[in-house]
Amino acid sequence: MTKEEIAAYISDIKNANIESFKDKAADVEAFRVKYLGKKGIIVELFNQFKTLPNDQKKEMGQLLNQLKVAAQDKVEEFKNYVEENHELDVAHDLTMPADFAQLGSRHVLSVVMNEIIDIFSRIGFTVAESVEIEDDWHLFSALNFPPDHPARDMQDTFFVEKEEGRQEVALRTHTSSVQVRVMENNKPPIRIIAPGRVFRNEAISARAHCIFHQVEALYVDKKVTFADLKQTLLYFAKEMFGEQTQIRLRPSYFPFTEPSAEMDISCNICGGKGCNICKGTGWLEILGCGMVDPNVLESCGIDSKEYTGFALGMGVERMAMLKYQIRDLRLYFENDLRFLKQFDAIV
Ligand code: DAH
């Protein structure tokens, strides 16, 4: 054993590079065994060390220790590397647990929208969809809005730039426009549900947004009555908010329905006793509805003497708010994972 021999080992160790190893984990182990194994180079050198004359022991002892530390440090460095880059070796260890795959989840608005669609489809309604950029006829005129109705006002409607000689075009402000398109293109009986995005020129706040979602339902046939509407509403409310749910109808006004009503449900938070969600009234406003105005049927080419119908429309954001006690509309659109993940379990 010579000083040069030990120095050569030390420099070999220091220069060893894991990049040159083919099978990283196995080659690191071979490297360890070669230097630090029970029959390895270092044990062998220490054995020889015992036989050295005493005057050489100090210097050689120090060198041998340097060699040992260098080998230990290198093995440590290699092991860390293998651990950090373990995927390189996954193929060799079939017992390793699989990486956890993060599952996505549906957005709460899709969950609620699908639930509404599902409830109506169970009583024979099919989904109808239509355009988000609509003309004045389908948005307002065919729905019996008088020419000076405030909903046509610039404050509510996003108008798309008007082209010469063409009628006014806008982002749809409600899904009631789908009613018109369906009635124009189909003969009764008509039983549709129209989910979709709508747009209104509103300042964004906890209670209002310029983009939101509605679901519209329309039923046109011979002898459809207000009693059919009422029973459909009761069925929907119980399916959506629970068997104990009660409904009440308040007279209201919409240009496209006559008579018109707004439906409240008994507050599902306090059970009707009164709380801060229902503002102490025990009731929550849920949707607008009514019997399709004969003018609307006629505008769409349906004989109002032969057919009657009911329609209803609801806001999906509001449904989700009431169902999951969400207090700020903006949460739906911010895509904060902490919010979205709470609905992980809901398919
Ligand atoms: N279109 C109405 C809105 O956006 C909602 C509505 C009310 C729809 C009554 C209807 C209805 O079909 O009958 O506020």
Side-chain angles (χ1 to χ4, degrees), residues 230-336:
K230 215 170 149 185
Q231 190 59 33
T232 306
L233 292 171
L234 184 63
Y235 158 79
F236 170 70
K238 283 178 183 285
E239 291 292 306
M240 190 74 190
F241 293 101
E243 184 54 36
Q244 73 296 338
T245 310
Q246 293 177 300
I247 64 168
R248 83 176 176 188
L249 294 173
R250 285 177 290 104
S252 185
Y253 171 77
F254 300 102
F256 35 89
T257 44
E258 182 58 36
S260 303
E262 267 165 306
M263 178 176 89
D264 299 340
I265 57 163
S266 51
C267 178
N268 60 334
I269 314 282
C270 63
K273 288 192 204 74
C275 65
N276 62 347
I277 303 286
C278 61
K279 301 199 190 80
T281 63
W283 294 96
L284 298 165
E285 190 186 318
I286 288 282
L287 53 75
C289 58
M291 301 306 291
V292 181
D293 192 299
N295 289 343
V296 175
L297 294 173
E298 295 294 340
S299 292
C300 301
I302 292 176
D303 184 352
S304 63
K305 292 195 184 62
E306 198 178 349
Y307 294 104
T308 52
F310 71 68
L312 59 98
M314 66 188 98
V316 181
E317 279 75 0
R318 182 163 169 79
M319 288 292 157
M321 276 181 146
L322 296 177
K323 200 150 172 153
Y324 299 112
Q325 295 177 43
I326 297 162
R327 310 229 167 166
D328 192 322
L329 264 177
R330 288 167 292 198
L331 286 166
Y332 293 127
F333 302 99
E334 279 166 359
N335 283 340
D336 184 332

Side-chain angles (χ1 to χ4, degrees), residues 212-230:
F212 54 102
H213 299 78
Q214 290 186 331
V215 176
E216 185 93 8
L218 173 74
Y219 178 29
V220 181
D221 202 350
K222 288 176 182 157
K223 299 203 177 92
V224 176
T225 69
F226 202 91
D228 296 315
L229 169 60
K230 215 170 149 185

